[in-house]
Amino acid sequence: MIKKNKTIKNIKALLGPTNTGKTFFAIDRMLTHSSGMIGFPLRLLAREVFDKISLRCVKQCVALITGEERIMPENPKYWVCTVEACLLYTSDAADERSSVDLGGRRI
């Protein structure tokens, strides 16, 4: 059974053509908030953005979660993930041993 996570209040998608500054705008916008999560279709792109965000704020504030890599500081404020790691719903059947706690949700 899949349940909707009620703690998520505001999710925005930024869409547009290639090379129009969407990623740059999204990173800047996310960093103006006290916390946030951003998803990417490719692991290498997620890693590149993780490195950029780590340079702009304290590295211990940024987590990276992909299918191959997990960098999990103690209390991250910002999450950089591949899209398969950006779950909006949680399942009762999730394998707890291989999941990561995202503020009350497990992925």
Side-chain angles (χ1 to χ4, degrees):
M1 181 169 144
I2 296 177
K3 295 185 280 185
K4 189 173 183 177
N5 187 338
K6 295 181 181 174
T7 60
I8 298 173
K9 295 179 182 177
N10 200 0
I11 297 175
K12 298 196 182 200
L14 184 59
L15 308 172
T18 305
N19 293 327
T20 56
K22 298 178 300 293
T23 302
F24 179 81
F25 177 78
I27 292 168
D28 275 355
R29 187 80 174 132
M30 181 178 74
L31 294 177
T32 64
H33 297 280
S34 61
S35 65
M37 178 184 280
I38 188 166
F40 295 96
L42 302 170
R43 180 186 61 81
L44 292 175
L45 182 56
R47 180 60 196 219
E48 179 183 330
V49 170
F50 169 80
D51 292 338
K52 285 182 182 180
I53 293 174
S54 295
L55 291 174
R56 290 181 61 181
C57 63
V58 181
K59 193 166 189 164
Q60 289 77 21
C61 291
V62 187
L64 173 68
I65 301 179
T66 70
E68 297 177 16
E69 196 172 7
R70 289 182 187 213
I71 298 173
M72 293 289 300
E74 184 72 27
N75 291 308
K77 294 177 10 177
Y78 304 108
W79 298 81
V80 179
C81 311
T82 51
V83 271
E84 68 268 7
C86 289
L87 298 180
L88 302 177
Y89 296 92
T90 175
S91 170
D92 292 336
D95 179 6
E96 295 293 322
R97 289 172 288 153
S98 66
S99 60
V100 174
D101 189 5
L102 286 180
R105 296 189 297 132
R106 296 196 70 81
I107 64 165

